[in-house]
Amino acid sequence: MKTTICHLLIVILLLASSGLSYGCKKKDNVTSPASQENINVQFWLTDPAQKTYFTEQQSIATAPAVGGINTITVISDKVYQEMDGFGCALTGGSAYHIYNMPAAERKQLLTELFDNKDKNIGISYLRISIGASDLDAKVFSYDDLPAGETDANMNKFSLAEDEKYLIPLLKEILAINPAIKILASPWSAPLWMKTTGKSVGGSLKPEYYDAYSKYFISYIMGMKNKGINIDAITVQNEPLHGGNNPSMVMPATQQAEFIRTSLGPAFKSVGINTKIIIYDHNADRTDYPISVLNDPDAKKYIDGSAFHLYGGSISDLSLVHNAHPDKNLYFTEQWVGAGSSFADNLKFHINDLIIGASRNWCKTVLEWNLASNASLTPHTAGGCDQCLGSITIEGSQVTRNVGYYIMAHASKFVRPGSKRIESNMPADLPNVAFLTPEGKVVVIVLNNGSSAKAFNMQVGDKTITASLASGAAGTFVW
């Protein structure tokens, strides 16, 4: 079997240890014995060392495999979970910064973010807060009352705070991508429902279970009346962390009881189909979602469990899948710290989130958060003052940060309805593969080693040979 010119170049480049990522087409007059029909595979690259950021490279033609290097083998008929999407949290602060851009620049940015045509990155899933998160300018709920007052029937419920920036911005996003899915999470119940009456910490009083269920229903129906469908809610953001502002502690036993006795029956009684997702906290406490799902009367109302990765290992998520394989998993939050290394963040987030969360059954992968300004404001008193947005906005100027490129590698090509498919994991080449609704295969690969690596990639009877520099990430579309 003859070695093509492309393959000789690959071997020479490896021997030279150039560390550069590349792709080359086979000469037109050379035909692969493996298949009479050759195809060109799209290749998008981020290589921090070369200052290449999610840039399309020369396509790579299928050709015989090169010997002596690892092969990533993709098996497209071995199918795992269906993906709902990749995206970010649209916090109150994110909405404020984007909405206050000049109209023309705002539309251009939103098209880039939420459309997937041309060079746009096609974010397909958003997480928003129910009431304030710590990346809002102030703490608020939709039913704030003077001390001593209560409102069990939600007579004073109001979305007024969200109507300033978040709701108008969501309407603009929906005009660009009507199919985008939205997950909503509360950081705290209204203060009058809590044991402490304070925004930081405290727990939900059992006597307000039904009132809090009405609060969720009022929110979902109120957003629907604004033309915004809430696909899913999590019951409580970080229920084991009571130190944020706002925050609320909700032990697993209470979350199961609240869902079993109030929230689940309340949703069912009014015909709400919004998914109920539990936990929404770190991978080191898989006992929490497993114990909630072990309650059969709570489980029947639950769609699945959500995770962050500020503790534990991403592989721990499969413990929850294995315990309850009939329930879904979602990855909903991971931050990037201001001033931290672009290269280190790219490696960690691609390896553990885009690849790791997907390989451990998650239907979504979401970055925290979409937008900030150079001052990393707004945030509540005690809220995160080092959370770097995927983009930084100053007036009409937009800086694309590492979170933007992390998400782009998946969001542009792995569209909702795509399914994760089987691929092996050669040393230092973590990867994940998907089959899109249109029948395309998408493979995301990271070089997690200390030097450049060439590798074959085989899909069916077709093979390409590619290379990634140390710390570089590539998306390959067949």
Side-chain angles (χ1 to χ4, degrees):
M1 183 183 298
K2 293 184 178 180
T3 302
T4 67
I5 293 172
C6 174
H7 300 150
L8 290 172
L9 287 172
I10 289 169
V11 173
I12 292 168
L13 284 167
L14 283 173
L15 290 172
S17 300
S18 68
L20 297 178
S21 300
Y22 59 90
C24 53
K25 294 184 179 180
K26 207 169 56 166
K27 295 185 72 171
D28 291 340
N29 62 345
V30 180
T31 302
S32 166
S35 173
Q36 295 302 312
E37 180 187 356
N38 294 323
I39 61 171
N40 290 325
V41 176
Q42 286 181 272
F43 172 28
W44 290 69
L45 172 70
T46 296
D47 181 355
Q50 298 299 319
K51 299 188 184 304
T52 300
Y53 305 119
F54 191 61
T55 303
E56 188 171 12
Q57 307 297 292
Q58 184 180 11
S59 61
I60 307 173
T62 53
V66 171
I69 59 176
N70 284 319
T71 297
I72 297 172
T73 303
V74 179
I75 304 174
S76 59
D77 59 357
K78 189 168 184 180
V79 177
Y80 299 95
Q81 79 275 18
E82 182 174 311
M83 305 303 293
D84 278 355
F86 293 83
C88 298
L90 181 64
T91 61
S94 295
Y96 172 81
H97 291 306
I98 298 173
Y99 188 74
N100 280 297
M101 294 178 71
E105 286 85 348
R106 182 174 70 245
K107 183 176 181 180
Q108 183 178 2
L109 175 63
L110 293 177
T111 300
E112 177 185 339
L113 292 172
F114 297 102
D115 182 83
N116 73 318
K117 301 180 184 69
D118 303 320
K119 294 189 179 297
N120 305 318
I121 69 168
I123 288 172
S124 55
Y125 204 102
L126 286 173
R127 182 182 184 222
I128 62 177
S129 60
I130 300 176
S133 77
D134 61 309
L135 293 187
D136 275 276
K138 64 178 183 179
V139 173
F140 68 89
S141 78
Y142 307 121
D143 202 342
D144 290 329
L145 302 173
E149 292 189 16
T150 62
D151 182 26
N153 291 320
M154 297 296 113
N155 294 322
K156 297 181 180 179
F157 183 94
S158 172
L159 292 171
E161 285 293 331
D162 283 354
E163 288 174 339
K164 295 176 181 177
Y165 309 110
L166 179 65
I167 288 173
L169 191 65
L170 284 172
K171 289 180 177 180
E172 292 187 29
I173 292 168
L174 286 164
I176 295 167
N177 181 2
I180 197 164
K181 289 189 174 181
I182 299 171
L183 166 72
S185 304
W187 267 237
S188 175
L191 305 189
W192 55 269
M193 296 186 189
K194 298 175 67 176
T195 54
T196 59
K198 300 181 184 299
S199 61
V200 178
S203 297
L204 180 66
K205 291 181 178 180
E207 58 263 37
Y208 290 123
Y209 281 4
D210 289 347
Y212 199 32
S213 296
K214 290 178 181 177
Y215 182 82
F216 277 101
I217 291 169
S218 297
Y219 172 75
I220 293 166
M221 296 180 70
M223 293 295 272
K224 184 176 181 180
N225 290 337
K226 304 290 182 183
I228 299 164
N229 180 62
I230 302 300
D231 183 70
I233 57 98
T234 60
V235 180
Q236 174 61 41
N237 174 68
E238 298 188 345
L240 298 177
H241 174 41
N244 202 357
N245 187 23
S247 59
M248 187 171 77
V249 176
M250 183 177 279
T253 52
Q254 185 181 40
Q255 190 156 123
E257 181 182 48
F258 174 55
I259 295 168
R260 177 182 69 247
T261 64
S262 185
L263 186 65
F267 274 26
K268 183 177 180 180
S269 69
V270 296
I272 283 181
N273 296 319
T274 298
K275 303 177 185 74
I276 296 174
I277 299 173
I278 60 170
Y279 190 45
D280 209 6
H281 209 166
N282 292 331
D284 59 350
R285 289 295 306 274
T286 55
D287 60 301
Y288 187 119
I290 289 172
S291 68
V292 175
L293 291 170
N294 284 344
D295 182 331
D297 293 324
K299 180 179 179 177
K300 65 185 179 182
Y301 299 113
I302 296 168
D303 175 83
S305 310
F307 294 90
H308 309 171
L309 194 59
Y310 306 115
S313 168
I314 197 66
S315 62
D316 293 338
L317 275 58
S318 283
L319 299 174
V320 183
H321 170 79
N322 294 338
H324 292 276
D326 55 330
K327 296 299 179 181
N328 294 313
L329 301 185
Y330 302 84
F331 192 89
T332 51
E333 179 184 323
Q334 195 70 25
W335 79 314
V336 171
S340 58
S341 163
F342 184 109
D344 289 347
N345 279 302
L346 182 78
K347 285 179 67 174
F348 171 71
H349 285 243
I350 294 287
N351 183 65
D352 285 58
L353 308 189
I354 301 298
I355 295 171
S358 297
R359 290 187 78 102
N360 285 279
W361 298 97
C362 289
K363 292 170 66 67
T364 63
V365 180
L366 309 180
E367 289 283 319
W368 177 266
N369 74 102
L370 181 56
S372 57
N373 64 3
S375 301
L376 305 177
T377 58
H379 56 77
T380 61
C384 183
D385 61 0
Q386 292 296 308
C387 287
L388 181 68
S390 293
I391 57 175
T392 298
I393 297 175
E394 290 292 328
S396 61
Q397 299 300 309
V398 177
T399 302
R400 291 151 189 84
N401 300 318
V402 64
Y404 173 96
Y405 299 108
I406 292 163
M407 198 49 55
H409 270 281
S411 61
K412 181 172 180 62
F413 306 106
V414 187
R415 306 306 299 160
S418 298
K419 295 179 180 179
R420 179 171 68 91
I421 54 178
E422 176 71 12
S423 63
N424 64 319
M425 291 270 276
D428 292 328
L429 291 170
N431 65 85
V432 64
F434 302 92
L435 183 66
T436 73
E438 297 76 27
K440 290 185 177 292
V441 171
V442 179
V443 188
I444 302 167
V445 186
L446 172 71
N447 180 357
N448 209 22
S450 58
S451 61
K453 288 188 178 296
F455 54 93
N456 302 308
M457 188 183 305
Q458 182 173 351
V459 178
D461 63 352
K462 295 181 173 61
T463 305
I464 64 168
T465 303
S467 176
L468 290 171
S470 174
T475 297
F476 301 85
V477 184
W478 296 63

